[in-house]
Amino acid sequence: MSETTEGVDIRGYEATDADAFWELKRGFELGIGDGTGGDDKLAKYEAKLTDDYRARYLAWVERCAESDPGCVVVASATGDANAEFTDTEGEDVDDPNLVGYAFALPEEMTFIWDAAVLNEIFLAPDYRGTGVADELMTAVLDHARSQDLPLDRMVLDVDRKNERAQAFYDRYGFDHWGELVARDL
């Protein structure tokens, strides 16, 4: 898709990204749980990150990326930052060296909110403030504009205590449109 001035490519998710993508997903989930809710929120988010959850989540990401290419985009460090690693069979493979991702729900799921849905956006801490998050947001907004939507808008949920995320979304013109509430099952 594009290369940022920081030497990071923004591109569509590929199946070979799964392991690195999962590490970012863990960072996303643990970041949500740490400092944005009650004392037990981090423990709840840590507890859900099981091997079964990993397998189910990555299978879902793969299905979404296959059904609507471009709905999951990744930020991949390029050049010298892109290292080599050995897989479980001992083979050398290119490490995608992912530093972030943005995940909009596929077009077939837009009727959930009658709009495009930004499911997740996450950037590794070392890359925050570099413009990479802006590149990810631009890519996912461009993709959402290509979807056949009931309403021409994108929705997302954000913890009101996450001031950094709130400021980021404010820069992109997101405003409050109702409020998401939840309860335990």
Side-chain angles (χ1 to χ4, degrees):
M1 289 185 167
S2 67
E3 183 172 331
T4 67
T5 56
E6 295 83 19
V8 175
D9 284 336
I10 306 300
R11 60 174 176 76
Y13 174 86
E14 300 168 358
T16 56
D17 295 328
D19 290 338
F21 192 89
W22 175 249
E23 291 308 312
L24 291 171
K25 169 66 171 172
R26 284 183 50 78
F28 173 84
E29 294 293 340
L30 297 176
I32 289 174
D34 187 23
T36 62
D39 293 337
D40 65 336
K41 190 172 183 181
L42 178 58
K44 284 182 180 182
Y45 277 74
E46 285 177 326
K48 83 174 187 177
L49 298 175
T50 64
D51 289 342
D52 179 60
Y53 179 88
R54 178 187 190 278
R56 290 174 49 217
Y57 177 80
L58 289 174
W60 179 59
V61 170
E62 182 72 21
R63 286 191 310 272
C64 290
E66 285 177 1
S67 73
D68 192 2
C71 73
V72 183
V73 292
V74 297
S76 179
T78 59
D80 294 336
N82 198 14
E84 295 269 329
F85 78 97
T86 304
D87 68 11
T88 56
E89 285 80 40
E91 300 293 321
D92 287 335
V93 293
D94 289 329
D95 178 355
N97 199 20
L98 300 187
V99 299
Y101 70 93
F103 185 173
L105 294 184
E107 183 175 329
E108 66 190 30
M109 296 182 182
T110 59
F111 287 99
I112 294 170
W113 289 99
D114 283 337
V117 177
L118 179 58
N119 187 54
E120 298 171 356
I121 186 168
F122 179 76
L123 195 61
D126 289 349
Y127 286 83
R128 293 176 186 166
T130 65
V132 177
D134 294 311
E135 295 284 334
L136 287 167
M137 180 60 85
T138 297
V140 81
L141 285 170
D142 287 347
H143 182 74
R145 288 182 188 105
S146 76
Q147 294 178 327
D148 184 14
L149 303 170
L151 298 174
D152 288 333
R153 61 188 306 118
M154 176 175 270
V155 298
L156 58 88
D157 69 296
V158 60
D159 193 299
R160 69 181 75 152
K161 294 181 182 177
N162 189 339
E163 294 175 4
R164 184 180 186 100
Q166 293 274 2
F168 179 74
Y169 298 132
D170 286 348
R171 280 197 350 250
Y172 280 90
F174 285 88
D175 54 15
H176 290 279
W177 195 48
E179 185 169 337
L180 186 65
V181 295
R183 60 157 283 149
D184 289 339
L185 296 176

Short mmCIF file of all heavy atoms in Angstrom, two decimals, residues 59-108:
data_model
loop_
_atom_site.label_atom_id
_atom_site.label_comp_id
_atom_site.label_asym_id
_atom_site.label_seq_id
_atom_site.Cartn_x
_atom_site.Cartn_y
_atom_site.Cartn_z
N ALA A 59 -7.64 -17.44 13.24
CA ALA A 59 -8.46 -18.03 12.17
C ALA A 59 -9.50 -17.01 11.71
O ALA A 59 -9.78 -16.89 10.51
CB ALA A 59 -9.12 -19.31 12.65
N TRP A 60 -10.07 -16.27 12.65
CA TRP A 60 -11.06 -15.24 12.31
C TRP A 60 -10.41 -14.11 11.51
O TRP A 60 -10.95 -13.65 10.50
CB TRP A 60 -11.72 -14.71 13.58
CG TRP A 60 -12.73 -13.65 13.35
CD1 TRP A 60 -13.87 -13.73 12.60
CD2 TRP A 60 -12.71 -12.32 13.87
NE1 TRP A 60 -14.57 -12.54 12.64
CE2 TRP A 60 -13.87 -11.66 13.42
CE3 TRP A 60 -11.83 -11.63 14.71
CZ2 TRP A 60 -14.15 -10.34 13.75
CZ3 TRP A 60 -12.13 -10.32 15.04
CH2 TRP A 60 -13.27 -9.69 14.56
N VAL A 61 -9.23 -13.66 11.94
CA VAL A 61 -8.51 -12.61 11.21
C VAL A 61 -8.27 -13.07 9.78
O VAL A 61 -8.49 -12.32 8.82
CB VAL A 61 -7.18 -12.25 11.92
CG1 VAL A 61 -6.31 -11.36 11.04
CG2 VAL A 61 -7.45 -11.58 13.26
N GLU A 62 -7.82 -14.31 9.62
CA GLU A 62 -7.55 -14.86 8.29
C GLU A 62 -8.83 -14.87 7.44
O GLU A 62 -8.80 -14.47 6.27
CB GLU A 62 -6.99 -16.28 8.41
CG GLU A 62 -6.64 -16.93 7.11
CD GLU A 62 -5.40 -16.34 6.45
OE1 GLU A 62 -4.58 -15.71 7.13
OE2 GLU A 62 -5.28 -16.51 5.23
N ARG A 63 -9.95 -15.31 8.02
CA ARG A 63 -11.22 -15.32 7.27
C ARG A 63 -11.62 -13.90 6.86
O ARG A 63 -12.07 -13.68 5.74
CB ARG A 63 -12.33 -15.97 8.09
CG ARG A 63 -12.23 -17.47 8.20
CD ARG A 63 -13.48 -18.10 8.79
NE ARG A 63 -13.95 -17.50 10.03
CZ ARG A 63 -13.55 -17.86 11.25
NH1 ARG A 63 -12.64 -18.82 11.39
NH2 ARG A 63 -14.05 -17.28 12.31
N CYS A 64 -11.48 -12.96 7.78
CA CYS A 64 -11.83 -11.57 7.47
C CYS A 64 -10.96 -11.02 6.35
O CYS A 64 -11.46 -10.41 5.40
CB CYS A 64 -11.70 -10.70 8.72
SG CYS A 64 -12.94 -11.03 10.00
N ALA A 65 -9.64 -11.25 6.46
CA ALA A 65 -8.71 -10.73 5.45
C ALA A 65 -8.96 -11.38 4.08
O ALA A 65 -8.81 -10.71 3.05
CB ALA A 65 -7.27 -10.97 5.90
N GLU A 66 -9.35 -12.65 4.07
CA GLU A 66 -9.65 -13.32 2.80
C GLU A 66 -10.96 -12.84 2.21
O GLU A 66 -11.07 -12.66 0.99
CB GLU A 66 -9.70 -14.83 3.01
CG GLU A 66 -8.35 -15.48 3.17
CD GLU A 66 -8.44 -16.98 3.43
OE1 GLU A 66 -9.56 -17.54 3.48
OE2 GLU A 66 -7.37 -17.58 3.61
N SER A 67 -11.98 -12.61 3.05
CA SER A 67 -13.29 -12.23 2.53
C SER A 67 -13.34 -10.76 2.11
O SER A 67 -14.15 -10.41 1.25
CB SER A 67 -14.38 -12.51 3.56
OG SER A 67 -14.34 -11.59 4.62
N ASP A 68 -12.50 -9.91 2.69
CA ASP A 68 -12.52 -8.48 2.38
C ASP A 68 -11.08 -7.96 2.44
O ASP A 68 -10.69 -7.32 3.40
CB ASP A 68 -13.42 -7.74 3.38
CG ASP A 68 -13.72 -6.31 2.96
OD1 ASP A 68 -13.26 -5.88 1.88
OD2 ASP A 68 -14.39 -5.61 3.73
N PRO A 69 -10.29 -8.27 1.40
CA PRO A 69 -8.88 -7.84 1.41
C PRO A 69 -8.76 -6.34 1.67
O PRO A 69 -9.47 -5.54 1.09
CB PRO A 69 -8.39 -8.20 0.01
CG PRO A 69 -9.29 -9.31 -0.43
CD PRO A 69 -10.63 -8.99 0.18
N GLY A 70 -7.88 -6.00 2.59
CA GLY A 70 -7.68 -4.60 2.97
C GLY A 70 -8.36 -4.23 4.26
O GLY A 70 -8.09 -3.16 4.81
N CYS A 71 -9.23 -5.09 4.79
CA CYS A 71 -9.89 -4.73 6.05
C CYS A 71 -8.93 -4.90 7.24
O CYS A 71 -9.13 -4.28 8.28
CB CYS A 71 -11.18 -5.51 6.27
SG CYS A 71 -10.99 -7.24 6.70
N VAL A 72 -7.89 -5.69 7.07
CA VAL A 72 -6.84 -5.83 8.08
C VAL A 72 -5.54 -5.37 7.44
O VAL A 72 -5.10 -5.96 6.44
CB VAL A 72 -6.70 -7.28 8.58
CG1 VAL A 72 -5.65 -7.36 9.69
CG2 VAL A 72 -8.03 -7.84 9.05
N VAL A 73 -4.97 -4.30 7.96
CA VAL A 73 -3.70 -3.79 7.45
C VAL A 73 -2.67 -3.82 8.56
O VAL A 73 -3.00 -3.71 9.74
CB VAL A 73 -3.84 -2.36 6.87
CG1 VAL A 73 -4.68 -2.36 5.61
CG2 VAL A 73 -4.40 -1.40 7.89
N VAL A 74 -1.42 -4.01 8.16
CA VAL A 74 -0.33 -4.08 9.11
C VAL A 74 0.74 -3.07 8.76
O VAL A 74 0.87 -2.65 7.61
CB VAL A 74 0.28 -5.50 9.17
CG1 VAL A 74 -0.75 -6.52 9.66
CG2 VAL A 74 0.85 -5.91 7.83
N ALA A 75 1.49 -2.69 9.77
CA ALA A 75 2.67 -1.83 9.61
C ALA A 75 3.87 -2.73 9.84
O ALA A 75 4.02 -3.33 10.91
CB ALA A 75 2.64 -0.69 10.61
N SER A 76 4.71 -2.85 8.82
CA SER A 76 5.85 -3.76 8.86
C SER A 76 7.14 -2.97 8.69
O SER A 76 7.29 -2.24 7.70
CB SER A 76 5.71 -4.79 7.74
OG SER A 76 6.80 -5.66 7.72
N ALA A 77 8.06 -3.09 9.66
CA ALA A 77 9.35 -2.41 9.56
C ALA A 77 10.12 -2.99 8.39
O ALA A 77 10.07 -4.19 8.14
CB ALA A 77 10.13 -2.56 10.86
N THR A 78 10.80 -2.16 7.66
CA THR A 78 11.50 -2.58 6.46
C THR A 78 13.01 -2.42 6.63
O THR A 78 13.48 -1.84 7.61
CB THR A 78 11.05 -1.75 5.25
OG1 THR A 78 11.31 -0.38 5.51
CG2 THR A 78 9.57 -1.95 4.97
N GLY A 79 13.75 -2.90 5.67
CA GLY A 79 15.19 -2.71 5.64
C GLY A 79 15.89 -3.42 6.77
O GLY A 79 15.59 -4.56 7.10
N ASP A 80 16.85 -2.75 7.40
CA ASP A 80 17.66 -3.34 8.46
C ASP A 80 16.83 -3.77 9.65
O ASP A 80 17.23 -4.66 10.40
CB ASP A 80 18.74 -2.37 8.93
CG ASP A 80 19.77 -2.11 7.84
OD1 ASP A 80 19.91 -2.96 6.94
OD2 ASP A 80 20.41 -1.04 7.89
N ALA A 81 15.68 -3.15 9.85
CA ALA A 81 14.84 -3.51 10.99
C ALA A 81 14.16 -4.85 10.78
O ALA A 81 13.67 -5.46 11.72
CB ALA A 81 13.78 -2.43 11.22
N ASN A 82 14.14 -5.35 9.54
CA ASN A 82 13.48 -6.62 9.24
C ASN A 82 14.49 -7.75 9.43
O ASN A 82 15.41 -7.92 8.64
CB ASN A 82 12.94 -6.59 7.81
CG ASN A 82 11.90 -7.65 7.58
OD1 ASN A 82 11.39 -8.24 8.53
ND2 ASN A 82 11.58 -7.91 6.33
N ALA A 83 14.33 -8.53 10.50
CA ALA A 83 15.28 -9.57 10.87
C ALA A 83 14.88 -10.92 10.30
O ALA A 83 13.83 -11.07 9.70
CB ALA A 83 15.35 -9.65 12.40
N GLU A 84 15.72 -11.90 10.51
CA GLU A 84 15.41 -13.30 10.17
C GLU A 84 15.15 -14.05 11.46
O GLU A 84 15.72 -13.73 12.51
CB GLU A 84 16.61 -13.94 9.47
CG GLU A 84 16.96 -13.35 8.13
CD GLU A 84 16.27 -14.04 6.99
OE1 GLU A 84 16.02 -15.24 7.09
OE2 GLU A 84 15.96 -13.36 6.00
N PHE A 85 14.27 -15.06 11.41
CA PHE A 85 14.08 -15.92 12.56
C PHE A 85 13.83 -17.33 12.08
O PHE A 85 13.64 -17.58 10.89
CB PHE A 85 12.96 -15.40 13.47
CG PHE A 85 11.56 -15.69 12.99
CD1 PHE A 85 10.87 -16.78 13.47
CD2 PHE A 85 10.94 -14.85 12.08
CE1 PHE A 85 9.58 -17.04 13.04
CE2 PHE A 85 9.65 -15.11 11.65
CZ PHE A 85 8.97 -16.21 12.14
N THR A 86 13.87 -18.29 12.99
CA THR A 86 13.69 -19.69 12.66
C THR A 86 12.31 -20.13 13.11
O THR A 86 11.90 -19.85 14.24
CB THR A 86 14.76 -20.54 13.35
OG1 THR A 86 16.03 -20.04 12.98
CG2 THR A 86 14.65 -22.00 12.95
N ASP A 87 11.57 -20.82 12.24
CA ASP A 87 10.24 -21.29 12.62
C ASP A 87 10.35 -22.58 13.43
O ASP A 87 11.44 -23.05 13.74
CB ASP A 87 9.34 -21.44 11.39
CG ASP A 87 9.77 -22.56 10.46
OD1 ASP A 87 10.62 -23.38 10.84
OD2 ASP A 87 9.21 -22.63 9.35
N THR A 88 9.21 -23.17 13.76
CA THR A 88 9.21 -24.35 14.64
C THR A 88 9.86 -25.57 14.00
O THR A 88 10.26 -26.48 14.70
CB THR A 88 7.76 -24.70 15.05
OG1 THR A 88 6.99 -24.89 13.87
CG2 THR A 88 7.16 -23.62 15.91
N GLU A 89 9.99 -25.56 12.66
CA GLU A 89 10.67 -26.68 11.99
C GLU A 89 12.15 -26.40 11.78
O GLU A 89 12.86 -27.15 11.12
CB GLU A 89 10.01 -26.96 10.62
CG GLU A 89 8.67 -27.69 10.72
CD GLU A 89 7.54 -26.75 11.07
OE1 GLU A 89 7.49 -25.62 10.56
OE2 GLU A 89 6.70 -27.15 11.89
N GLY A 90 12.66 -25.28 12.29
CA GLY A 90 14.06 -24.94 12.16
C GLY A 90 14.43 -24.27 10.84
O GLY A 90 15.60 -24.09 10.53
N GLU A 91 13.43 -23.88 10.05
CA GLU A 91 13.67 -23.22 8.76
C GLU A 91 13.78 -21.72 8.96
O GLU A 91 13.02 -21.12 9.73
CB GLU A 91 12.52 -23.52 7.80
CG GLU A 91 12.31 -24.99 7.49
CD GLU A 91 13.47 -25.57 6.71
OE1 GLU A 91 14.00 -24.88 5.81
OE2 GLU A 91 13.84 -26.72 7.00
N ASP A 92 14.73 -21.09 8.25
CA ASP A 92 14.83 -19.64 8.28
C ASP A 92 13.70 -19.06 7.44
O ASP A 92 13.47 -19.48 6.31
CB ASP A 92 16.16 -19.16 7.71
CG ASP A 92 17.32 -19.41 8.65
OD1 ASP A 92 17.08 -19.50 9.86
OD2 ASP A 92 18.47 -19.50 8.17
N VAL A 93 13.00 -18.11 8.03
CA VAL A 93 11.93 -17.43 7.31
C VAL A 93 12.02 -15.95 7.60
O VAL A 93 12.60 -15.53 8.60
CB VAL A 93 10.52 -17.96 7.72
CG1 VAL A 93 10.34 -19.40 7.28
CG2 VAL A 93 10.30 -17.83 9.21
N ASP A 94 11.48 -15.16 6.69
CA ASP A 94 11.48 -13.72 6.93
C ASP A 94 10.52 -13.38 8.06
O ASP A 94 9.38 -13.81 8.06
CB ASP A 94 11.05 -12.96 5.67
CG ASP A 94 12.09 -13.01 4.58
OD1 ASP A 94 13.28 -13.07 4.92
OD2 ASP A 94 11.71 -13.01 3.40
N ASP A 95 11.00 -12.62 9.01
CA ASP A 95 10.16 -12.13 10.10
C ASP A 95 9.46 -10.88 9.58
O ASP A 95 10.13 -9.94 9.16
CB ASP A 95 11.04 -11.79 11.30
CG ASP A 95 10.29 -11.22 12.48
OD1 ASP A 95 9.06 -10.99 12.36
OD2 ASP A 95 10.92 -11.00 13.52
N PRO A 96 8.13 -10.85 9.59
CA PRO A 96 7.47 -9.66 9.09
C PRO A 96 7.74 -8.42 9.94
O PRO A 96 7.49 -7.33 9.50
CB PRO A 96 5.99 -10.04 9.10
CG PRO A 96 5.87 -11.22 9.97
CD PRO A 96 7.21 -11.89 10.00
N ASN A 97 8.28 -8.58 11.14
CA ASN A 97 8.62 -7.45 12.01
C ASN A 97 7.49 -6.43 12.08
O ASN A 97 7.69 -5.25 11.80
CB ASN A 97 9.93 -6.81 11.56
CG ASN A 97 10.55 -5.97 12.67
OD1 ASN A 97 10.25 -6.15 13.84
ND2 ASN A 97 11.43 -5.06 12.29
N LEU A 98 6.31 -6.91 12.42
CA LEU A 98 5.15 -6.03 12.50
C LEU A 98 5.27 -5.11 13.70
O LEU A 98 5.69 -5.52 14.77
CB LEU A 98 3.86 -6.85 12.60
CG LEU A 98 3.56 -7.79 11.45
CD1 LEU A 98 2.18 -8.40 11.62
CD2 LEU A 98 3.70 -7.11 10.11
N VAL A 99 4.88 -3.85 13.48
CA VAL A 99 4.93 -2.87 14.56
C VAL A 99 3.56 -2.28 14.85
O VAL A 99 3.40 -1.49 15.78
CB VAL A 99 5.95 -1.75 14.25
CG1 VAL A 99 7.35 -2.34 14.12
CG2 VAL A 99 5.58 -0.97 12.99
N GLY A 100 2.55 -2.68 14.06
CA GLY A 100 1.20 -2.19 14.30
C GLY A 100 0.21 -2.79 13.33
O GLY A 100 0.59 -3.45 12.37
N TYR A 101 -1.06 -2.54 13.62
CA TYR A 101 -2.13 -3.02 12.73
C TYR A 101 -3.39 -2.21 12.95
O TYR A 101 -3.58 -1.57 13.99
CB TYR A 101 -2.41 -4.51 12.94
CG TYR A 101 -3.07 -4.86 14.25
CD1 TYR A 101 -4.46 -4.96 14.36
CD2 TYR A 101 -2.31 -5.11 15.38
CE1 TYR A 101 -5.07 -5.30 15.56
CE2 TYR A 101 -2.91 -5.45 16.59
CZ TYR A 101 -4.28 -5.55 16.67
OH TYR A 101 -4.88 -5.88 17.87
N ALA A 102 -4.25 -2.25 11.94
CA ALA A 102 -5.60 -1.70 12.04
C ALA A 102 -6.54 -2.74 11.43
O ALA A 102 -6.21 -3.35 10.42
CB ALA A 102 -5.72 -0.37 11.31
N PHE A 103 -7.68 -2.92 12.05
CA PHE A 103 -8.60 -3.99 11.68
C PHE A 103 -10.01 -3.42 11.64
O PHE A 103 -10.60 -3.12 12.66
CB PHE A 103 -8.47 -5.09 12.73
CG PHE A 103 -9.26 -6.35 12.49
CD1 PHE A 103 -9.05 -7.42 13.34
CD2 PHE A 103 -10.18 -6.49 11.48
CE1 PHE A 103 -9.75 -8.61 13.18
CE2 PHE A 103 -10.88 -7.67 11.30
CZ PHE A 103 -10.67 -8.73 12.15
N ALA A 104 -10.52 -3.24 10.42
CA ALA A 104 -11.92 -2.86 10.24
C ALA A 104 -12.69 -4.14 9.93
O ALA A 104 -12.20 -5.01 9.23
CB ALA A 104 -12.06 -1.88 9.08
N LEU A 105 -13.88 -4.26 10.45
CA LEU A 105 -14.66 -5.44 10.16
C LEU A 105 -14.95 -5.52 8.66
O LEU A 105 -15.11 -4.49 8.00
CB LEU A 105 -15.97 -5.44 10.95
CG LEU A 105 -15.83 -5.57 12.46
CD1 LEU A 105 -17.21 -5.64 13.11
CD2 LEU A 105 -14.98 -6.75 12.86
N PRO A 106 -15.03 -6.74 8.13
CA PRO A 106 -15.32 -6.89 6.70
C PRO A 106 -16.69 -6.32 6.34
O PRO A 106 -17.58 -6.20 7.20
CB PRO A 106 -15.31 -8.40 6.49
CG PRO A 106 -14.67 -8.99 7.67
CD PRO A 106 -14.82 -8.01 8.79
N GLU A 107 -16.85 -5.99 5.08
CA GLU A 107 -18.10 -5.39 4.60
C GLU A 107 -19.32 -6.22 4.99
O GLU A 107 -20.36 -5.66 5.35
CB GLU A 107 -18.04 -5.24 3.08
CG GLU A 107 -19.25 -4.56 2.50
CD GLU A 107 -19.10 -4.31 1.01
OE1 GLU A 107 -17.98 -4.09 0.54
OE2 GLU A 107 -20.14 -4.33 0.33
N GLU A 108 -19.22 -7.54 4.96
CA GLU A 108 -20.37 -8.39 5.29
C GLU A 108 -20.84 -8.20 6.73
O GLU A 108 -21.96 -8.58 7.06
CB GLU A 108 -20.05 -9.85 5.03
CG GLU A 108 -18.98 -10.40 5.96
CD GLU A 108 -18.48 -11.78 5.57
OE1 GLU A 108 -18.49 -12.11 4.38
OE2 GLU A 108 -18.08 -12.52 6.47
#
